[in-house]
Amino acid sequence: MDNTTLFLNLLVAVLGGAVRVGTPFLMVSLAECITEKSGRINLGLEGVLVFSAMAGFGGAYLSGSVWLGVLAAVAEIHQRQMDVRNRSGAVLLISEDLDELLALSDRIAVMSGGRVVHEVAALEADRNTLGAYMGGRAH
């Protein structure tokens, strides 16, 4: 293998690794941009990301199942969201999972076609109505 091929292989490996490692941090940074628009600044987002990853790794290692590790990481993230919500903080949750939305939200807004088509308090939300709006059948 000549030096040019070796250099190109190394460059592709480094760039591929940077994309794999950097993508979660990019998502966290984008979420913080949205959070800052609401007037809140959270300087611990990288710590939340790393701690959730550690919870996922620990769950996978102890159980021997990658899927249980993913569930452990998701449970950690949900618990942190609930802690913020219970302290009257703002949590922007974007999801299509109605169970998750009803458990974590105090208000639910449904967007379709680039605009808000329905808004309701979570305690007053009806699954069928939300589903119709989410599926684009009610508007």
Side-chain angles (χ1 to χ4, degrees), residues 24-25 28 42 44-61 65-84:
F25 289 101
V28 167
N42 185 354
L45 288 174
E46 289 82 7
V48 170
L49 179 73
V50 170
F51 191 77
S52 298
M54 289 182 354
F57 176 80
Y61 180 76
S65 169
V66 173
W67 297 113
L68 288 177
V70 170
L71 288 175
V74 169
E76 173 61 30
I77 291 169
H78 279 199
Q79 183 58 48
R80 288 181 174 268
Q81 289 172 335
M82 293 295 288
D83 291 345
V84 170

Side-chain angles (χ1 to χ4, degrees), residues 38 51-52 120 123 126 132:
S38 73
F51 191 77
S52 298
V120 66
L123 295 175
D126 174 58

Side-chain angles (χ1 to χ4, degrees), residues 18-42:
V19 169
R20 278 193 308 277
V21 171
T23 299
F25 289 101
L26 175 66
M27 296 300 164
V28 167
S29 299
L30 289 172
E32 178 57 18
C33 289
I34 294 170
T35 303
E36 285 180 4
K37 295 266 185 198
S38 73
R40 295 257 184 198
I41 296 176
N42 185 354

